[in-house]
Amino acid sequence: MLRIAVPNKGSLSGPASAMLHEAGYRQRKESKELVVIDPENEVEFFYLRPKDIAIYVASGKLDIGITGRDLLLDSGASAAEILPLNFGRSTFRYATRPGTAQGPEDFGGMTIATSYEGIVAKHLADQGIDASVVHLDGAVETAIQLGVAQIIADVVETGTSLRNAGLEVIGEPILKSEAVVIRRDGAEEDHPQVQQFLRRLQGVLVARSYVMMDYDCRAEHLEQAVALTPGLESPTISPLHNEGWVAVRAMVPAKEAQRIMDDLYELGARAILTTAIHACRL
């Protein structure tokens, strides 16, 4: 069986299980379950701490894992990202009190508090900056107030918690992270079960990003309509019973669907419908 690590808690856990369910895999019904066997798909899922997943995958005990890019890089494990999953996005940045520093070039001799010392230490080393890194678990905003550090490095979403602590973001982002599928370095690239697993997840990603659009339009407007809905290869076009009309079907990006519907209507298209795509293979 293919052995796959899944986050057991935190912000990645729910979306990861939801994606796997959409891909046709059995998932746990209770949070206390640590192992779920899916005999129909020949897969065994292990629910682990997100920070530990890269270590297990790198050891070869598990074939694949879903974790955050930040957690993978911070672990230093011999594993590599093979598919981004488009959820769990975050930005990792430095922050400090106003006037302390403008960017990493000013960090010499200072102490930086973070929960991701592996990422920060590598970033500083890559830039040739001589600064100390102290590891703290959980929120690090109070590290400056308590005199533990002059700089912090943490995940930043809106920046509200930093502003409430009297801090400001400085410099460019250290890392932009999201949930990713990982494999051990040197693992067999063409493993058939792994490739099938990746195809299923890619199908979910596409299905979430596109909708199927159907509409009727006059034949003389067909070329303009097709320019709005080119599909992936080309749209499906069928003649209607009423002479001079055709039916068109094409996949369109979900985020652009409403604008495309407006443009088609202005062109004279009617009976414009969109339907969700639950699964696909490209």
Side-chain angles (χ1 to χ4, degrees), residues 148-178:
V148 174
Q150 294 82 41
I151 311 289
I152 65 168
D154 202 6
V155 172
V156 177
E157 295 181 0
T158 64
T160 300
S161 60
L162 293 177
R163 288 191 293 272
N164 290 341
L167 306 177
E168 65 178 7
V169 170
I170 58 172
E172 295 298 317
I174 304 168
L175 172 70
K176 291 187 177 180
S177 183
E178 65 181 296

Side-chain angles (χ1 to χ4, degrees), residues 7-234:
N8 68 340
K9 59 182 179 180
S11 61
L12 300 181
S13 177
S17 289
M19 176 171 276
L20 291 168
H21 178 74
E22 287 180 53
Y25 293 105
R26 180 181 297 180
Q27 290 296 286
R28 63 181 181 175
K29 296 180 180 179
E30 297 181 3
S31 60
K32 293 181 180 180
E33 292 183 84
L34 301 179
V35 180
V36 169
I37 297 175
D38 183 349
E40 292 183 359
N41 292 300
E42 297 185 338
V43 174
E44 194 171 7
F45 293 101
F46 294 81
Y47 296 86
L48 305 169
R49 286 193 352 146
K51 283 192 171 185
D52 296 337
I53 287 176
I55 304 297
Y56 280 106
V57 172
S59 73
K61 302 299 182 183
L62 300 178
D63 302 296
I64 294 176
I66 294 176
T67 188
R69 181 180 294 131
D70 53 349
L71 299 175
L72 166 64
L73 296 176
D74 190 61
S75 72
S78 298
E81 169 186 336
I82 57 174
L83 180 67
L85 296 178
N86 202 27
F87 69 83
R89 287 191 170 128
S90 61
T91 303
F92 196 61
R93 306 194 67 165
Y94 293 113
T96 187
R97 284 176 175 162
T100 302
Q102 296 297 314
E105 65 277 4
D106 300 325
F107 291 175
M110 295 185 181
T111 299
I112 303 166
T114 184
S115 300
Y116 299 82
E117 68 271 28
I119 292 175
V120 174
K122 184 178 185 305
H123 186 259
L124 295 172
D126 289 345
Q127 305 222 1
I129 298 167
D130 183 17
S132 300
V133 180
V134 59
H135 174 84
L136 295 175
D137 283 320
V140 296
E141 290 91 344
T142 56
I144 295 176
Q145 180 182 354
L146 296 176
V148 174
Q150 294 82 41
I151 311 289
I152 65 168
D154 202 6
V155 172
V156 177
E157 295 181 0
T158 64
T160 300
S161 60
L162 293 177
R163 288 191 293 272
N164 290 341
L167 306 177
E168 65 178 7
V169 170
I170 58 172
E172 295 298 317
I174 304 168
L175 172 70
K176 291 187 177 180
S177 183
E178 65 181 296
V180 296
V181 179
I182 65 171
R183 288 192 74 189
R184 176 176 56 84
D185 287 341
E188 180 188 349
E189 293 186 6
D190 297 328
H191 191 292
Q193 283 182 291
V194 172
Q195 293 305 312
Q196 182 187 72
F197 178 78
L198 295 176
R199 281 195 300 271
R200 287 196 181 192
L201 294 191
Q202 287 166 336
V204 172
L205 291 171
V206 173
R208 289 178 172 183
S209 300
Y210 285 82
V211 295
M212 189 65 73
M213 185 171 289
D214 294 88
Y215 59 91
D216 301 339
C217 78
R218 296 285 305 175
E220 60 265 28
H221 298 149
L222 181 58
E223 291 305 316
Q224 292 170 277
V226 167
L228 294 170
T229 59
L232 296 186
E233 278 81 27
S234 64

